[in-house]
Amino acid sequence: METISENACFGGTQGVYTHRSESCDCDMTFGLFMPEEAQHGPVPLLWYLSGLTCTHENAMTKAGAQGWAADHGIAVVFPDTSPRGEGVADDEAYDLGQGAGFYVNATEAPWSKHFQMYDYITKDLTSVLFNAFALDETRQSITGHSMGGHGALTLAMREPGRFASVSAFSPICNPTGSDWGKKQFSAYLGSNEASWSAHDASALMAEKGFDGPMLIDTGTQDQFLDLLRPETLAEAAAKRRQQINFRMQPGYDHSYFFVSTFMEEHITFHAEALYA
């Protein structure tokens, strides 16, 4: 692992680091905020998964998470959204290829060589974080925005017992029923649609649910509502009687103005679960 930068931030440190990923077969970059409390022992970790077109940098600089995380003594990691670099497959469209990993393990060429984002998050980056930093592996929560909200929800339900809580900002809730999902899953996972449901939050809610608290915020003026399909997740959660706080926020869109507005509430929500 190499240090790209470290800056004092709300009494702690905002760092950017790069490391070799075996899963993605390339170098990967991530941001990590460590609160002041990490100087005295391991602290809880909140994962923040970003959306389409983003790198590690978008949420790190726009979401306003560090100040609220510092108040609760919580670390926040900002992974990249896809593999990058020379020889890594890409596409001219913004919603496929680099910047659009969808947090799945691709099985189809040319994507399968590098696009192993599920394993990257759950294995490679996890190993780096808990070996190199003062983080408490027994206290983790996860959140994300848009494609990253899809990632947060699916990882939380597919990795039972790992995360104390999960939240999402305007998540892609039903990718198997949306052009933000059908296109990418066809490319990454192939034409067998039966395999897609393992990466669909609404399908996973119906099948598994989540053993803990959930918080979902979506704006009523989100310009991508028809692609996000929040109603599918709400219906599945209601049928399952899942513990969930599902909120449609009046007037808000899909931007980081929306995310930053409700970031304090999301971090407080996770802090309550992490310190329970």
Side-chain angles (χ1 to χ4, degrees), residues 79-248:
D80 202 348
T81 55
S82 76
R84 300 178 192 273
E86 186 177 353
V88 175
D90 200 7
D91 191 272
E92 292 182 357
Y94 75 94
D95 57 355
L96 186 67
Q98 296 186 32
F102 263 78
Y103 304 100
V104 303
N105 288 339
T107 58
E108 304 298 305
W111 312 105
S112 56
K113 177 173 173 55
H114 298 287
F115 282 71
Q116 303 295 311
M117 286 301 294
Y118 189 93
D119 281 355
Y120 172 68
I121 296 295
T122 60
K123 296 178 181 178
D124 291 14
L125 183 53
T126 293
S127 177
V128 168
L129 289 170
F130 290 104
N131 283 324
F133 299 96
L135 298 167
D136 185 349
E137 195 166 2
T138 67
R139 291 187 292 167
Q140 300 179 60
S141 290
I142 191 167
T143 188
H145 173 231
S146 193
M147 179 186 72
H150 139 79
L153 293 170
T154 56
L155 264 69
M157 287 186 274
R158 286 178 51 128
E159 299 285 324
R162 175 166 178 173
F163 300 104
S165 52
V166 58
S167 74
F169 301 87
S170 33
I172 301 172
C173 297
N174 181 216
T176 63
S178 165
D179 286 342
W180 272 1
K182 289 181 179 179
K183 172 183 177 179
Q184 295 82 3
F185 288 0
S186 294
Y188 297 147
L189 304 175
S191 59
N192 181 8
E193 296 186 17
S195 67
W196 298 1
S197 61
H199 302 283
D200 185 301
S202 297
L204 287 168
M205 177 61 71
E207 178 188 354
K208 301 175 180 288
F210 177 69
D211 186 20
M214 305 182 75
L215 171 62
I216 312 294
D217 275 323
T218 302
T220 61
Q221 298 302 310
D222 193 305
Q223 57 270 49
F224 304 112
L225 268 179
D226 290 343
L227 294 168
L228 303 178
R229 295 174 56 83
E231 66 278 2
T232 60
L233 181 63
E235 290 168 3
K239 287 181 180 179
R240 190 173 188 83
R241 299 179 181 177
Q242 169 72 44
Q243 178 187 357
I244 190 169
N245 189 357
F246 188 95
R247 310 189 300 192
M248 295 298 299

